[in-house]
Amino acid sequence: MKYKVLLTTSGIGSRLGELTEFTNKSLVRVGDKPAISHILDQYSKDIEVVVTLGYYGDQVRDFLNLVYPNRKFTFVWVDNYKGEGSCQGLSMIQAKSHLQCPFIFNSCDTIVKYDLIAKPETNWVIGSKEESNDQYRTIDKIGNTLFRFKDKGEGLSKDLAYIGICGINDYEKFWQEIKEDSQSDCEPINAMIEGGSLFTISETKNWIDIGSSSKLKIAKETIGSEIDVLDKPEENIYQIEDEIIKFFYDSSISFDRVVRADNYLQGITPNVIAAVGGFYKYKKVKGKPLSKTINEDRTRSFLRWALKYLWEPVDTDFKNFKSSCDTFYLKKTLQRVEKLQESINIRDKNEVINNRDCKKVSSIIKELSKSNLLSNGIPCNFHGDCVPDNIIDEGDKFTIIDWRQNFGDSLTGDVYYDLAKFNHGMTFDIVSSENFTLDSADSGVEVDIFRSDKLERCRKVLYDFLRENDYDIKKVEILTAIIWINMAPLHEGDLKRFLFYFGKFYLNKYVS
């Protein structure tokens, strides 16, 4: 039979908090994929999907066109998607002209894993037995037939929760009953039932609700992931089959990364297949992250490879390069410290850390600015985030992923930044509350981290490499401490505080 699927992605997804501050709710990663990809997996690839767009609608459109070029999508823009007058009914009505046939409505915060959704050959709804259903509309039934939907909080403990997926065979009646102020699909369905329409009920035990932050956390634990990265509001990474998709809220970052890969890093990064807006994609590289294979021998192999293919010095305008070093190391650090002080109750002050009298970060940065120690870098093609997780070990060679788009105002970077990033990777294995300590007292702050013995041996290999190639070890150590300080405002809770104090302690130690 001919039918379509309706997905309404136009809402702002406010219940997901900061995760939707810079992106659409349907693009929040659940496991390895965004929510909308899990939903599409529930339907045959030859079914036309009508998608309403509103909040960051261009992101949804760009993602679907990039990742699913062979699927048929019809995009419908909804102007009033937030604030007064916005509601699901209004969004659905905007798509009415494209849905003059039986259709399935699937809420964009509803995933049904392992179930292939049935065709809308009749009218039907799907429910699920939940321990607590007071936050959902519930199903009042007679036998296997829907009597009516109850509003949130009206359900009995025995009632099924409505999961937000329904099949509409009597589409003409549905469009007659829905109103622009209908808050959900439940209201027109109730009206259809009062007019004599029948809706059967299916029960699923595979419902994954991602409509709130707490539910999303459970969903991620349930689905699992090969991607071991922390959530960042302004960027994301997905794996769909054998393709990796990177997303940046600032689309210029995506564009500049593709430019660097095409013009400066060919054969070193994966080949970018396609890019649009804030997205680009490439084939997943065969191999394992260096973080999974690392030992002394693989560390030596990578450093030799990087010296030949990545860190070979290049000619550049040294005056401009020096300016880029100043911007990247010094000005950015002062900005990050300011950002940190604005976000939480931390003050950059003279204080005692690990029994050492530590100066303010801002004071040390000013001293370093006068010394020109960090400004006189060695220009090279550089990685930009040279940690073991971003290096794919293919046995006979290496491929770098998640490369930086620039170095300050330059597309040429400093070898010392890569060396410092790699040194950071030899100190931090998996940062969690179990492997670092942070204690505050009147006498000062105490910070420490439990280091992997294997990484400590690999770190010694790195230091041997620095000596053999006449790199300035002190400079690498200072930049490593600066990296930790710069990382602090990008994280949350105790990890944010730990990184600041840990970096501040070692910055004072290395500079003095």
Side-chain angles (χ1 to χ4, degrees):
M1 66 174 295
K2 179 185 176 182
Y3 70 98
K4 299 180 183 180
V5 173
L6 170 63
L7 303 180
T8 52
T9 72
S10 38
I12 63 175
S14 59
R15 291 192 297 156
L16 294 179
E18 69 171 5
L19 289 179
T20 53
E21 185 177 353
F22 299 98
T23 193
N24 185 273
K25 61 182 178 181
S26 68
L27 297 176
V28 171
R29 182 164 49 83
V30 188
D32 293 332
K33 306 177 185 181
I36 199 166
S37 290
H38 288 288
I39 293 170
L40 290 173
D41 288 346
Q42 299 166 175
Y43 300 99
S44 173
K45 294 180 180 180
D46 59 356
I47 301 299
E48 179 181 346
V49 182
V50 179
V51 185
T52 66
L53 303 176
Y55 185 70
Y56 291 125
D58 53 341
Q59 294 178 4
V60 178
R61 178 201 59 207
D62 290 346
F63 173 82
L64 294 176
N65 285 334
L66 179 74
V67 179
Y68 303 101
N70 298 321
R71 294 192 78 144
K72 181 172 176 53
F73 296 104
T74 297
F75 298 111
V76 179
W77 284 94
V78 177
D79 294 329
N80 188 14
Y81 59 82
K82 64 178 180 179
E84 185 177 354
S86 62
C87 60
Q88 190 179 95
L90 177 63
S91 295
M92 296 179 83
I93 287 173
Q94 298 298 305
K96 176 180 176 180
S97 63
H98 302 285
L99 293 165
Q100 294 303 306
C101 64
F103 68 92
I104 295 171
F105 167 67
N106 193 315
S107 169
C108 272
D109 53 20
T110 290
I111 299 170
V112 182
K113 295 299 289 182
Y114 316 120
D115 286 4
L116 193 62
I117 306 300
K119 298 177 181 180
E121 295 175 322
T122 60
N123 300 316
W124 49 258
V125 299
I126 301 179
S128 176
K129 182 65 177 176
E130 297 295 305
E131 289 185 10
S132 176
N133 61 21
D134 58 341
Q135 59 185 307
Y136 305 109
R137 291 179 175 87
T138 51
I139 293 173
D140 193 359
K141 62 179 182 176
I142 299 175
N144 195 42
T145 302
L146 176 65
F147 178 65
R148 69 180 178 100
F149 285 117
K150 297 179 182 178
D151 287 335
K152 295 177 182 179
E154 290 186 355
L156 303 175
S157 59
K158 66 179 180 63
D159 291 338
L160 296 176
Y162 174 52
I163 72 170
I165 301 180
C166 62
I168 305 297
N169 183 268
D170 296 336
Y171 62 92
E172 292 177 333
K173 290 184 179 180
F174 181 87
W175 295 122
Q176 289 172 6
E177 298 296 349
I178 193 168
K179 304 293 187 291
E180 288 192 352
D181 61 352
S182 296
Q183 295 301 305
S184 74
D185 54 312
C186 296
E187 294 168 36
I189 290 176
N190 278 346
M192 288 173 69
I193 292 171
E194 290 179 7
S197 296
L198 294 177
F199 280 79
T200 58
I201 301 165
S202 296
E203 181 178 354
T204 182
K205 296 182 180 179
N206 297 321
W207 177 32
I208 297 176
D209 179 15
I210 56 170
S212 65
S213 297
S214 59
K215 292 295 183 180
L216 178 61
K217 181 179 179 181
I218 295 171
K220 291 185 174 185
E221 293 170 353
T222 301
I223 292 177
S225 176
E226 293 183 22
I227 299 174
D228 187 19
V229 297
L230 296 172
D231 286 326
K232 296 180 181 178
E234 297 186 49
E235 65 181 83
N236 220 325
I237 182 171
Y238 314 109
Q239 179 179 322
I240 300 176
E241 296 180 354
D242 64 342
E243 292 183 341
I244 301 295
I245 298 94
K246 282 287 296 184
F247 163 73
F248 295 92
Y249 166 72
D250 182 351
S251 59
S252 67
I253 295 176
S254 176
F255 178 83
D256 290 344
R257 285 199 175 190
V258 174
V259 169
R260 273 203 74 215
D262 287 347
N263 297 301
Y264 295 87
L265 300 173
Q266 282 193 354
I268 298 174
T269 62
N271 292 323
V272 176
I273 302 169
V276 60
F279 299 90
Y280 64 84
K281 70 175 181 178
Y282 57 84
K283 292 288 185 183
K284 182 181 179 182
V285 180
K286 294 181 179 179
K288 295 181 179 179
L290 182 59
S291 57
K292 303 296 183 185
T293 66
I294 197 164
N295 54 36
E296 292 98 318
D297 180 62
R298 298 314 293 158
T299 301
R300 291 188 192 93
S301 295
F302 168 71
L303 292 171
R304 287 194 296 265
W305 176 88
L307 188 62
K308 181 177 180 180
Y309 295 103
L310 194 60
W311 297 334
E312 184 73 21
V314 298
D315 292 330
T316 190
D317 183 324
F318 191 75
K319 183 178 180 181
N320 289 337
F321 181 68
K322 182 177 182 296
S323 176
S324 292
C325 288
D326 284 339
T327 298
F328 198 75
Y329 295 142
L330 306 175
K331 292 179 182 178
K332 187 179 79 170
T333 301
L334 293 175
Q335 290 169 354
R336 289 283 175 89
V337 171
E338 187 64 31
K339 181 178 180 180
L340 184 69
Q341 292 185 116
E342 291 173 357
S343 66
I344 58 174
N345 188 26
I346 281 184
R347 290 290 171 265
D348 182 25
K349 60 185 180 180
N350 297 331
E351 59 189 325
V352 176
I353 306 174
N354 291 352
N355 297 317
R356 174 184 288 274
D357 290 326
C358 293
K359 297 180 183 178
K360 295 189 293 185
V361 172
S362 56
S363 298
I364 296 180
I365 293 298
K366 290 176 183 176
E367 292 175 15
L368 289 170
S369 179
K370 295 176 182 178
S371 73
N372 286 324
L373 173 67
L374 303 185
S375 301
N376 297 318
I378 301 176
C380 66
N381 275 340
F382 90 110
H383 183 308
D385 196 5
C386 191
V387 295
D389 276 335
N390 292 336
I391 300 160
I392 304 300
D393 185 352
E394 299 179 76
D396 58 342
K397 70 184 187 77
F398 298 88
T399 297
I400 65 171
I401 58 174
D402 213 14
W403 59 97
R404 272 194 66 88
Q405 66 278 4
N406 54 36
F407 181 79
D409 298 324
S410 173
L411 293 178
T412 299
D414 181 12
V415 67
Y416 277 102
Y417 186 65
D418 272 4
L419 292 168
K421 271 283 187 175
F422 198 73
N423 187 41
H424 149 70
M426 298 299 99
T427 303
F428 281 68
D429 189 0
I430 300 173
V431 180
S432 68
S433 58
E434 285 76 37
N435 59 13
F436 71 83
T437 59
L438 170 65
D439 296 302
S440 298
D442 293 339
S443 57
V445 178
E446 294 284 338
V447 287
D448 199 4
I449 189 169
F450 298 100
R451 294 172 171 86
S452 159
D453 182 62
K454 179 172 67 175
L455 286 184
E456 194 63 27
R457 295 196 302 271
C458 293
R459 189 166 179 262
K460 291 178 181 177
V461 172
L462 170 63
Y463 273 59
D464 289 342
F465 171 83
L466 296 176
R467 295 185 189 95
E468 291 166 5
N469 292 277
D470 295 324
Y471 290 118
D472 186 336
I473 291 178
K474 180 179 180 180
K475 186 171 179 177
V476 171
E477 291 177 330
I478 290 172
L479 285 175
T480 304
I482 285 176
I483 285 169
W484 292 331
I485 293 169
N486 275 268
M487 289 171 60
L490 305 180
H491 295 279
E492 297 299 327
D494 285 344
L495 180 55
K496 182 191 293 264
R497 291 178 168 83
F498 169 78
L499 285 165
F500 174 73
Y501 289 118
F502 192 72
K504 184 175 180 178
F505 169 75
Y506 277 101
L507 182 62
N508 274 269
K509 179 180 177 180
Y510 293 144
V511 169
S512 65

